[in-house]
Amino acid sequence: MVDEHIAARGVKHPAVLKAMREIPRHVFVPEQYRSDAYADQPLPIGSGQTISQPYIVALMSEMLRPAPDATVLEVGTGSGYQAAILCKLFKKVYSIELLPELSARAQAAIAEVGLKNIEIRVGDGYKGWPEHAPYDRIMLTAAPAEVPQALIDQLAPGGMLLGPVGDDPNYQRLMIMEKSADGKVTESASYPVRFVPMVKGR
Ligand code: SAH
């Protein structure tokens, strides 16, 4: 999977390629789809949600600028696979998921893989996770129409937020938002991507 779909398509960061080789994706995939776990495609994980395509996981991990001393907030735990990769690239990962059944399964998969530098909880990503803020990095894996202000507020100076943004369910832009040391926020758009929408919590 890594040679054919990830390195071949231009992901170069050695730590990202190593993490993608080390974390067993099948553990994060429901049993009936396990034979496809190492193909480069998203797969259903229940509740109408999907585990992202491995190439996109690798690409976004590389774009997030791995740093072993940095903390990350991920919005949209889903299967827990992206969070597991982030555990290998950052000091500490916090991940929020709206749906309790997915969060519980992600927790079990993460325990099975033996990762310790992560906390996950059920919650609404529009509010972030203020208790552990600020974060050096924030990654969205569900698409809001606009980046929620609470998340911008929870980004550390010098930090970076990366995620799909847009209100079309079939197409969004991968946005990069950077906060300078003096708190100024700049935005740039890169690749077109397709993620599930970030749902407003109740
Ligand atoms: N990162 C995941 C893929 C996530 S799919 C993986 O590696 O498998 C997007 C996830 O975002 C879904 O599980 C969905 O339930 C969740 N989600 C949608 N809206 C949300 C919100 N407001 N807050 C937190 N999670 C949300």
Side-chain angles (χ1 to χ4, degrees):
M1 177 185 89
V2 172
D3 290 345
E4 271 178 43
H5 302 300
I6 295 173
R9 290 179 68 184
V11 174
K12 290 192 176 65
H13 198 296
V16 171
L17 297 175
K18 183 164 186 273
M20 297 293 296
R21 289 198 164 93
E22 283 175 358
I23 299 290
R25 188 167 182 256
H26 71 269
V27 173
F28 297 86
V29 165
E31 222 143 283
Q32 67 265 41
Y33 300 113
R34 285 196 173 173
S35 57
D36 292 328
Y38 297 99
D40 191 32
Q41 59 189 43
L43 290 168
I45 54 172
S47 311
Q49 305 302 323
T50 54
I51 177 173
S52 304
Q53 177 191 351
Y55 168 67
I56 294 291
V57 170
L59 179 70
M60 287 176 64
S61 299
E62 181 173 69
M63 287 175 75
L64 199 62
R65 292 204 299 262
D69 56 348
T71 59
V72 187
L73 173 67
E74 181 199 25
V75 175
T77 315
S79 68
Y81 179 63
Q82 172 74 73
I85 298 291
L86 294 176
C87 283
K88 297 279 190 184
L89 303 173
F90 292 94
K91 184 170 79 186
K92 177 90 193 215
V93 177
Y94 298 92
S95 184
I96 323 176
E97 167 59 51
L98 196 58
L99 303 176
E101 64 275 18
L102 291 184
S103 184
R105 263 192 281 138
Q107 184 77 267
I110 283 183
E112 188 176 332
V113 175
L115 297 166
K116 306 268 188 259
N117 58 330
I118 175 164
E119 279 182 45
I120 77 179
R121 75 160 169 91
V122 176
D124 178 6
Y126 281 94
K127 303 195 180 95
W129 190 338
E131 290 79 1
H132 300 291
Y135 303 95
D136 302 305
R137 304 282 191 278
I138 298 180
M139 181 189 278
L140 314 182
T141 64
E146 284 171 43
V147 178
Q149 185 60 44
L151 296 181
I152 301 173
D153 293 344
Q154 289 172 33
L155 190 59
M160 167 190 189
L161 178 150
L162 172 70
V165 179
D167 55 12
D168 184 337
N170 294 312
Y171 165 90
Q172 303 98 30
R173 281 278 170 184
L174 203 47
M175 295 290 308
I176 297 168
M177 203 174 246
E178 309 216 43
K179 195 182 262 189
S180 66
D182 61 0
K184 237 187 249 122
V185 174
T186 52
E187 246 182 71
S188 56
S190 67
Y191 310 92
V193 286
R194 183 179 181 176
F195 277 83
V196 297
M198 195 165 146
V199 175
K200 293 268 183 203
R202 274 146 288 164

